[in-house]
């Protein structure tokens, strides 16, 4: 199996805003050609980290290394190979979508052709509206224009901060498809942050969960989420009796107000159900969540 | 740098706000021209009523040069305000709009970014002045014709012959450009410290108005602070219409204004270099 | 009483005799002036007016009897409020004034008779004092006391002994320096002018007209005197 090149590594990243410790020694590693999800509840430090990655803010400590050789102090050498959308994309509302792209294009050291701009407009599905003022665009159109803007320089890495924020369901689906295309058709490495697990799960290959400025978990999404161990939540007609029955099967059961909670392997659930129904226990509800999902839900609930 | 500058110019000059200043200049010039066309003689008579007892002034006093001079004098307080309306918004406006973070994630140095903004601010000032030049000088000359300029100073009158006036007006426009650059630099500096669009504009206007009001008080109480009010130096364009021209004084004031601009620019660069873009 | 009557008669007689002498002197001036109907010449205007910076300028001077006067230049000029020939115009009608010899003086090294001209019906002019050369009978200096303007003075300098018209006419008048608050002038660049300095100080302003290429009695068209400026 081919070992993928590390395209971005973050080590011991720390950032203070006054006395507030936003990042507390964050470590990350992103491989080339993958979609990397940065998952965390609001205020976890995702945006701070992303802003550090693109040079908007300076870290107090730690290193960021792109392409295995470029540090933050030489970030301008790396930026021509990076495209980004930081939070919701913002444009000059009095300019057309196309002119906005032309303005952005002038910030790159190499000339970006009109042809490239037209191609990008087509890629993001804005053909026909490119000459309209951005002020007339919907949120979804702006998001897509933002992707076009991030793609101007044909970057190797695209950083998207909460890209689906504010989009309607249709917009979310379109954007998701576009992000996946960026990886699959164009071979881009995409780093996206989100506070929605399902969003990361549906797009990302790898992910890191950030909470309170530290990375609490990092790895391959399928490995992290497809673990067999699940938390089961159960509502039956007789909770105490059901609790005893399940415990006799070797599980440690916790009774909450109206539910029984226990941890098991996914394939053991039918056995538990069979035993309860055999004992005439009525099952009103059975819910199971993967351990990481549960963990993340607790984080976000907190 | 050229491409960054192009981007900044596109942004600044396609913005509707940029044309508020230009529109008001055209409107004001047209109004002043019209008022002098119809009632210029009365205005001059009023000014000269105490002087007129012994000497009478012969010749065409109300001419294009006088109108241009009066327009320059009238707009000298307003012009910086019009410039600040645009330049005070160059950084903070982008911060408020959220576009600043987009520009700064591109591979450009912050030094170049701010330099491009600064040059754009100067180009805008130049644009305003060119417009003023065309309308105030060109149009007034077309409507009222040339002639000697009668300058009313606080301590007397100066009559400047028509042949000398083109050069003097050009020098005055150059000096006004230096003055406006100082205002643009000040507002750009304030803009770098702010994340909202209105604050730096209002603050620049307040500084200019307060300094100008203090300058206009003919009271010895303010004498010690007069040299430190850069607006005082901005008024030195008028000395180009003195006889003889106090060249050393004008050059000194221009130098002080340039120095102010550079200091403001330096502070902007220093602050912006270390600024976290968190909005 | 007799003594008083005698003194009064003596003074009256003396005055009469001085007046007679003065009228004779004036008559020569009038005769000379009567030879001038139209006048056109080049003029160089020089100004020395406190608080006013203005360079000299060349132009044309026109005069036409009875009272038309104009200096035509390409630029702005300051002129005396009265035309410089007004004093001569006044002398043209002897019934309108009383002329009295009032001593002697020396003007620019020239011995002169002082003649007071008192208008019979004073309107603007209160009194005019002429210094007329004893030898040449030409006015070398005149002082006009006017109701509104105060005293204004003309110095005349002649190029040749036979010239009727002076080559240089210098007008002098005292006036209050032109001062204007900064807020009105818009001049914030000059040194502050304090009110105490600005008030009540009279200074002398001068306008000198140097005439050349004089053309006498060649018809000057009336249109020349139509003002076009403002």
């Amino acid at each position: 199996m081919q070992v993928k090149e590390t395209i971005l590594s973050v080590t011991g990243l720390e950032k203070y805003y006054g006395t507030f410790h936003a990042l507390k020694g964050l470590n990350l590693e992103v491989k080339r050609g993958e979609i990397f999800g940065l998952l965390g509840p609001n205020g976890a430090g995702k945006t701070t980290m992303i802003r550090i990655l693109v040079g908007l803010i300076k870290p107090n400590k730690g290193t960021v290394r792109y392409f295995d050789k470029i540090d933050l102090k030489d970030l301008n050498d790396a930026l021509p190979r990076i495209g980004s959308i930081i939070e919701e994309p913002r444009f000059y509302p009095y300019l057309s979508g196309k002119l906005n792209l032309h303005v952005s294009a002038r910030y790159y050291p190499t000339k970006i052709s009109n042809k490239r701009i037209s191609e990008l407009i087509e890629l993001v599905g804005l053909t026909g509206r490119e000459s309209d003022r951005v002020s007339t665009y919907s949120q979804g159109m702006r998001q897509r224009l933002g992707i076009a803007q991030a793609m101007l320089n044909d970057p190797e890495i695209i950083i998207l901060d909460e890209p689906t924020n504010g989009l309607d369901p249709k917009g979310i689906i379109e954007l998701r498809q576009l992000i996946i295309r960026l990886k699959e058709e164009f071979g881009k490495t995409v780093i996206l942050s989100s506070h929605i697990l399902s969003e990361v799960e549906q797009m990302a290959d790898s992910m890191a969960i950030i909470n309170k400025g530290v990375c609490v978990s990092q790895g391959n999404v399928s490995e992290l989420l497809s673990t067999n161990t699940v938390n089961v939540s159960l509502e039956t007609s007789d909770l105490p009796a059901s609790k005893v029955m399940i415990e006799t099967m070797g599980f440690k059961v916790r009774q909450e107000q109206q539910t029984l909670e226990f941890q098991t392997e996914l394939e053991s659930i039918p056995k538990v159900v069979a035993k309860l129904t055999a004992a005439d226990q009525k099952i009103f509800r059975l819910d199971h969540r993967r351990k990481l999902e549960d963990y993340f839900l607790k984080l976000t609930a907190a | 740098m050229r491409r960054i500058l192009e981007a900044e110019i596109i942004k600044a000059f396609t913005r509707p706000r940029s044309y508020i200043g230009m529109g008001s200049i055209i409107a004001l010039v047209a109004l002043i021209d019209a008022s002098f066309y119809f009632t210029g003689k009365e205005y001059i008579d009023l000014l000269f009523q105490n002087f007129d007892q012994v000497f009478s002034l012969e010749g065409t006093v109300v001419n294009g040069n006088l109108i241009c001079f009066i327009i320059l004098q009238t707009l000298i307080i307003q012009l910086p305000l019009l410039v600040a309306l645009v330049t005070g918004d160059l950084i903070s406006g982008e911060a408020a709009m959220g576009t600043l973070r987009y520009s700064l994630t591109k591979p450009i140095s912050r030094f170049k970014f701010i330099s491009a903004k600064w040059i754009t601010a100067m180009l805008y000032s130049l644009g305003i002045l060119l417009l003023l030049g065309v309308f105030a000088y060109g149009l007034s000359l077309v409507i009222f014709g040339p002639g000697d300029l009668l300058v009313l100073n606080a301590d007397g009158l100066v009559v400047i012959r028509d042949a000398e006036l083109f050069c003097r007006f050009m020098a005055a426009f150059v000096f006004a450009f230096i003055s406006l650059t100082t205002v643009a630099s000040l507002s750009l500096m304030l803009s770098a410290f702010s994340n909202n669009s209105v604050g730096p504009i209002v603050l620049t206007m307040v500084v200019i108005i307060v300094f100008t009001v203090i300058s206009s008080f003919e009271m010895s109480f303010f004498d010690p602070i007069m040299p430190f009010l850069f607006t005082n130096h901005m008024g030195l364009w008028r000395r180009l219409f003195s006889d003889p021209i106090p060249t050393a004084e004008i050059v000194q004031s221009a130098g002080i204004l340039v120095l102010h601009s550079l200091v403001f620019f330096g502070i902007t660069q220093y602050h912006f270099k270390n600024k976290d873009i968190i909005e | 009483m007799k003594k008083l009557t005698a003194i009064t008669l003596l003074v009256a007689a003396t005055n009469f005799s001085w007046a007679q002498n003065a009228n004779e002197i004036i008559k020569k001036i009038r005769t000379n002036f009567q030879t001038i109907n139209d006048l056109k010449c080049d003029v160089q205007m020089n100004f020395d007016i406190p608080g006013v910076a203005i360079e000299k300028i060349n132009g044309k001077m026109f005069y036409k009897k009875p009272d038309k006067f104009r200096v035509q230049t390409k630029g702005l000029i300051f002129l005396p409020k009265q035309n410089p020939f007004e004093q001569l115009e006044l002398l043209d009608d002897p019934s309108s004034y009383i002329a009295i010899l009032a001593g002697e003086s020396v003007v620019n090294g020239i011995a002169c008779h002082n003649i007071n001209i008192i208008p019979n019906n004073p309107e603007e002019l209160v009194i005019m004092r002429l210094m007329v050369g004893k030898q040449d009978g030409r006015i070398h200096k005149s002082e006009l006391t006017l109701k509104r303007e105060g005293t204004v003075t003309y110095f005349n300098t002649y190029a040749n002994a036979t010239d009727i018209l002076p080559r240089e006419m210098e007008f002098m008048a005292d006036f209050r320096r032109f001062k204007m608050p900064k807020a009105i002038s818009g001049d914030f660049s000059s040194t502050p002018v304090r009110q105490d300095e600005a008030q009540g100080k009279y200074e002398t302003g001068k306008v000198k007209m140097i005439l050349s290429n004089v053309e006498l009695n060649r018809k000057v068209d009336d249109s020349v005197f139509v003002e076009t400026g403002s």
Side-chain angles (χ1 to χ4, degrees):
Chain A
M1 191 179 139
Q2 192 188 351
V3 177
K4 282 185 179 173
E5 171 202 349
T6 299
I7 204 162
L8 167 69
S9 64
V10 174
T11 317
L13 207 59
E14 290 196 37
K15 177 67 187 176
Y16 287 88
Y17 293 116
T19 54
F20 176 65
H21 203 173
L23 295 181
K24 302 167 183 167
L26 199 80
N27 299 305
L28 286 178
E29 202 165 86
V30 180
K31 302 284 183 194
R32 183 179 285 277
E34 68 177 8
I35 297 179
F36 184 89
L38 206 56
L39 189 65
N42 290 332
K46 302 187 298 292
T47 299
T48 297
M49 202 204 74
I50 283 182
R51 282 175 186 252
I52 290 173
L53 292 184
V54 293
L56 290 177
I57 57 182
K58 291 181 172 56
N60 297 101
K61 223 179 195 180
T63 58
V64 172
R65 177 162 292 181
Y66 281 105
F67 313 108
D68 211 21
K69 58 185 174 193
I70 304 172
D71 292 332
L72 273 185
K73 64 178 171 52
D74 301 314
L75 186 63
N76 275 347
D77 295 337
L79 284 176
R81 299 160 72 181
I82 301 168
S84 59
I85 303 180
I86 310 302
E87 297 182 88
E88 60 180 298
R90 295 295 182 93
F91 299 97
Y92 304 99
Y94 48 89
L95 300 182
S96 68
K98 192 172 184 177
L99 195 49
N100 263 290
L101 293 181
H102 275 287
V103 167
S104 291
R106 282 178 164 78
Y107 288 123
Y108 290 99
T110 49
K111 190 169 167 26
I112 291 163
S113 67
N114 288 343
K115 186 168 166 274
R116 169 79 182 154
I117 289 172
S118 300
E119 281 169 3
L120 286 169
I121 287 169
E122 197 180 336
L123 174 76
V124 297
L126 285 175
T127 309
R129 291 297 306 274
E130 71 271 30
S131 301
D132 295 346
R133 283 183 173 202
V134 167
S135 56
T136 65
Y137 283 16
S138 69
Q139 185 65 26
M141 289 166 75
R142 286 178 199 213
Q143 198 66 266
R144 283 182 277 143
L145 184 64
I147 300 236
Q149 180 260 135
M151 293 275 292
L152 274 170
N153 49 333
D154 195 15
E156 292 165 52
I157 304 174
I158 298 170
I159 300 173
L160 307 172
D161 186 14
E162 304 272 7
T164 56
N165 260 8
L167 295 186
D168 58 19
K170 185 171 170 273
I172 291 174
I173 292 166
E174 283 174 357
L175 189 71
R176 196 181 292 149
Q177 288 167 345
L178 183 60
I179 291 170
I180 292 168
R181 271 185 76 194
L182 293 180
K183 178 198 139 189
E184 291 181 350
E185 276 183 40
F186 302 97
K188 307 296 178 196
T189 303
V190 181
I191 300 170
L192 62 92
S193 78
S194 178
H195 61 277
I196 304 164
L197 177 65
S198 60
E199 189 174 290
V200 173
E201 190 184 354
Q202 287 177 67
M203 289 188 275
D205 303 302
S206 301
M207 64 184 249
I209 298 179
I210 298 179
N211 188 43
K212 291 181 181 164
V214 288
C215 179
V216 292
S217 182
Q218 184 179 354
N220 188 288
V221 172
S222 52
E223 282 170 14
L224 284 174
L225 293 179
S226 67
T227 170
N228 264 347
T229 311
V230 292
N231 288 331
V232 178
S233 172
L234 190 68
E235 256 184 71
T236 63
S237 49
D238 184 351
L239 283 181
S242 301
K243 184 171 183 266
V244 173
M245 269 183 263
I246 300 167
E247 278 173 343
T248 56
M249 293 176 79
F251 300 114
K252 196 177 171 187
V253 184
R254 201 171 67 253
Q255 185 176 343
E256 300 291 331
Q257 284 178 329
Q258 296 297 321
T259 57
L260 297 176
E261 307 275 342
F262 63 98
Q263 208 170 78
T264 180
E265 299 301 307
L266 198 61
E267 55 270 26
S268 301
I269 294 176
K271 290 177 195 166
V272 173
V273 172
K275 184 162 187 177
L276 291 175
T277 47
D280 280 342
Q281 287 289 317
K282 288 178 184 153
I283 299 171
F284 299 129
R285 185 177 71 84
L286 190 147
D287 206 7
H288 69 87
R289 292 182 302 277
R290 288 159 299 188
K291 202 175 160 189
L292 189 69
E293 188 179 356
D294 221 27
Y295 173 72
F296 184 67
L297 282 175
K298 275 182 193 158
L299 281 183
T300 46
Chain B
M1 181 69 188
R2 187 181 62 82
R3 292 171 56 76
I4 303 170
L5 190 58
E6 278 173 16
E8 291 304 321
I9 289 169
I10 292 172
K11 286 191 280 183
F13 284 87
T14 49
R15 216 173 164 192
R17 177 186 291 201
S18 305
Y19 296 93
I20 294 174
M22 296 191 176
S24 20
I25 285 174
I26 295 171
L28 276 169
V29 169
L31 273 174
I32 294 172
D33 275 355
S35 65
F36 271 90
Y37 191 79
F38 294 110
T39 56
K41 177 85 170 67
E42 291 165 31
Y43 175 79
I44 296 300
D45 289 347
L46 190 73
L47 288 176
F48 282 92
Q49 56 191 3
N50 69 331
F51 190 79
D52 216 24
Q53 288 182 1
V54 177
F55 298 103
S56 68
L57 186 61
E58 302 287 319
T60 312
V61 180
V62 180
N63 56 50
N65 288 318
L66 180 78
I67 307 299
C68 179
F69 184 81
I70 288 171
I71 290 171
L72 270 184
Q73 185 170 276
T74 311
L75 293 184
I76 209 71
I77 294 173
Q78 285 85 345
L79 269 191
L81 304 185
L82 295 177
V83 165
L85 196 65
V86 169
T87 56
D89 193 46
L90 282 178
I91 300 172
S92 60
E94 289 222 40
M97 222 177 348
T99 47
L100 186 62
R101 60 175 184 258
Y102 281 91
S103 304
L104 294 179
T105 54
K106 305 290 186 292
I108 50 167
S109 75
R110 291 195 182 189
F111 180 84
K112 282 184 181 174
F113 182 74
I114 290 297
S115 302
K117 293 264 181 208
W118 194 52
I119 294 170
T120 306
M122 284 197 273
L123 288 176
Y124 182 73
S125 308
L126 190 65
I128 288 266
L129 277 171
L130 283 177
L131 192 79
L132 188 70
V134 168
F135 277 86
Y137 190 60
L139 188 68
S140 300
L141 279 181
V142 168
I143 295 173
F144 296 93
D148 291 353
L149 173 66
L150 181 74
V151 181
L152 279 70
N153 288 332
D155 53 354
L157 301 171
V158 181
V159 175
I160 301 164
R161 298 296 175 210
D162 185 35
E164 296 173 31
L165 282 168
F166 180 77
C167 293
R168 292 201 194 212
F169 271 118
M170 288 308 112
F173 277 108
V174 169
F175 193 92
F177 174 64
I178 294 171
S179 301
L180 289 186
T181 298
T182 307
V183 174
S185 307
L186 169 71
S187 58
L188 194 70
M189 180 186 79
L190 296 173
S191 190
F193 279 89
S194 174
N195 290 334
N196 78 72
S197 174
V198 182
I201 298 171
V202 172
L203 203 56
T204 308
M205 290 179 177
V206 166
V207 168
I208 293 167
I209 291 168
V210 169
F211 281 16
T212 310
V213 168
I214 293 174
S215 301
S216 66
F217 275 123
E218 296 169 16
M219 295 166 79
S220 54
F221 177 77
F222 292 114
D223 285 357
I225 60 163
M226 287 292 181
F228 303 103
L229 307 179
F230 71 87
T231 49
N232 253 357
H233 298 285
M234 285 167 63
L236 259 284
W237 70 273
R238 226 174 172 285
R239 308 292 276 172
L240 286 158
F241 296 90
S242 303
D243 196 26
I245 298 173
T247 313
E249 198 184 341
I250 291 168
V251 169
Q252 188 192 5
S253 281
I256 289 169
L257 288 171
V258 169
L259 198 66
H260 269 85
S261 299
L262 293 175
V263 169
F264 293 148
F265 176 66
I267 293 170
T268 313
Q269 286 286 13
Y270 178 78
H271 174 73
F272 200 74
K273 181 175 179 280
N274 299 303
K275 186 181 182 179
D276 281 344
I277 310 298
I278 52 173
E279 65 283 341
Chain C
M1 185 63 190
K2 277 182 186 170
K3 203 173 179 180
L4 185 65
T5 311
I7 290 169
T8 309
L9 284 172
L10 185 63
V11 169
T14 311
N15 269 350
F16 176 72
S17 109
W18 284 351
Q20 219 177 12
N21 285 340
N23 283 331
E24 278 166 19
I25 293 164
I26 296 293
K27 192 178 174 187
K28 190 183 175 192
I29 297 169
R30 278 171 46 217
T31 310
N32 281 341
F33 184 57
Q34 276 162 1
T35 63
I36 301 170
N37 285 311
D38 292 72
L39 164 68
K40 179 185 173 188
C41 65
D42 292 336
V43 62
Q44 186 190 77
M45 306 287 301
N46 296 271
F47 310 93
D48 178 11
I49 306 172
V52 178
I54 178 169
E55 281 181 14
K56 64 183 177 189
I57 189 168
N58 295 320
K60 297 267 183 208
M61 180 194 277
F62 302 95
Y63 176 73
K64 186 173 188 171
K65 274 195 175 160
D67 58 359
K68 285 188 174 132
F69 173 78
R70 179 149 190 223
V71 175
Q72 206 175 50
T73 59
K74 281 186 176 171
L76 296 175
I77 50 168
F78 287 97
L79 282 177
K81 202 76 200 267
Q82 287 72 34
N83 95 53
F85 296 97
E86 203 172 298
Q87 42 192 305
L88 295 168
E89 288 162 8
L90 181 82
L91 297 180
D92 230 10
D93 178 11
S95 64
S96 64
Y97 58 87
I98 298 166
I100 301 168
L101 262 177
E104 296 175 352
S105 58
V106 176
V107 178
N108 291 333
I110 297 161
C112 293
H113 292 293
N114 296 349
I115 301 170
N116 287 346
I117 307 287
I118 304 159
N120 292 333
N121 188 14
E123 285 177 1
E124 192 53 34
L125 181 70
V126 178
I127 185 168
M128 176 163 73
R129 170 178 283 229
L130 301 176
M131 281 72 162
V132 182
K134 285 182 178 175
Q135 295 292 319
D136 58 12
R138 298 180 295 195
I139 301 172
H140 289 274
K141 183 181 174 187
S142 48
E143 289 174 357
L144 288 79
T145 303
L146 303 154
K147 274 185 185 167
R148 269 178 2 118
E149 292 91 334
T151 300
V152 300
T153 307
Y154 280 94
F155 283 98
N156 295 332
T157 308
Y158 299 86
N160 301 306
T162 54
D163 286 352
I164 303 170
L165 284 170
R167 190 178 65 89
E168 280 183 26
M169 288 189 278
E170 188 174 41
F171 168 80
M172 290 168 63
D174 289 344
F175 73 110
R176 212 176 261 166
R177 191 185 270 248
F178 184 86
K179 284 183 198 300
M180 193 170 272
K182 282 183 175 186
I184 294 174
S185 68
D187 172 23
F188 300 113
S189 63
S190 58
T191 323
V193 180
R194 309 267 180 254
Q195 277 306 305
D196 52 348
E197 291 169 25
Q199 274 172 357
K201 208 172 167 187
Y202 278 90
E203 290 167 274
T204 305
K206 296 177 193 171
V207 175
K208 189 193 272 186
M209 290 171 272
I210 303 171
L211 315 185
S212 58
N213 301 323
V214 177
E215 291 176 23
L216 274 178
N217 297 329
R218 183 180 290 183
K219 189 170 167 47
V220 176
D221 197 84
D222 282 348
S223 62
V224 168
F225 301 98
V226 177
E227 293 270 348
T228 51
S230 58

